[in-house]
Amino acid sequence: MKGSAVLIIDDQNRLLILLRAKEAHWMPHKWGLPGGRIERGENSAGAAVRETKEETDLNLWTSDLTSLRQFNTKHVDLFYATNYTGTVHIDFEHEDFKWVTREEIEKYDTTPNLVEMFDWVLQNER
């Protein structure tokens, strides 16, 4: 089953990261991105928008998502977004959230390639 995830960057160039629950079946207690499985009849961008809303209560729009094709795998399609509305309220799948700068992210135990993806967005799209 394929999934999608999204890097959300605020107007201060900070990245939203979520602390996965200790009970998570993939990468428990690691800091990662909003995202999840693509449901039947849904495309990867639509899944990224839906999962972000479910996990953070932030609103994204598929038209504002940019694909990170170079980081996509056979299991996950990745996007980034700088346009969103709302205030973060995490769901039961997560224990905490942080908005982190590039320097701060080094202090967190993250899911694979997260720092490299953040670097790419900061260097190529800002």
Side-chain angles (χ1 to χ4, degrees), residues 4-104:
S4 65
V6 61
L7 287 87
I8 302 172
I9 311 290
D10 73 5
D11 59 4
Q12 298 173 44
N13 284 340
R14 297 179 304 173
L15 173 68
L16 176 64
I17 56 175
L18 308 176
L19 181 60
R20 300 175 58 75
K22 291 177 188 167
E23 303 81 26
H25 47 284
W26 184 78
M27 296 280 163
H29 227 238
K30 299 262 186 190
W31 291 89
L33 303 171
R37 290 187 177 162
I38 300 169
E39 295 180 354
R40 183 180 302 265
E42 187 175 50
N43 64 29
S44 56
V49 168
R50 177 185 49 76
E51 287 285 348
T52 297
K53 181 66 175 174
E54 290 174 4
E55 295 180 358
T56 69
D57 207 28
L58 294 180
N59 300 299
L60 300 176
W61 297 268
T62 57
S63 60
D64 291 331
L65 295 180
T66 301
S67 177
L68 288 173
R69 284 177 174 61
Q70 65 276 30
F71 292 101
N72 288 352
T73 69
K74 65 180 182 178
H75 301 291
V76 180
D77 287 340
L78 294 152
F79 300 90
Y80 76 89
T82 57
N83 188 23
Y84 61 90
T85 61
T87 303
V88 177
H89 299 282
I90 56 173
D91 69 347
F92 67 94
E93 296 178 24
H94 300 93
E95 295 179 9
D96 200 0
F97 75 94
K98 301 282 183 195
W99 289 98
V100 296
T101 64
R102 173 56 185 87
E103 295 75 26
E104 292 168 336

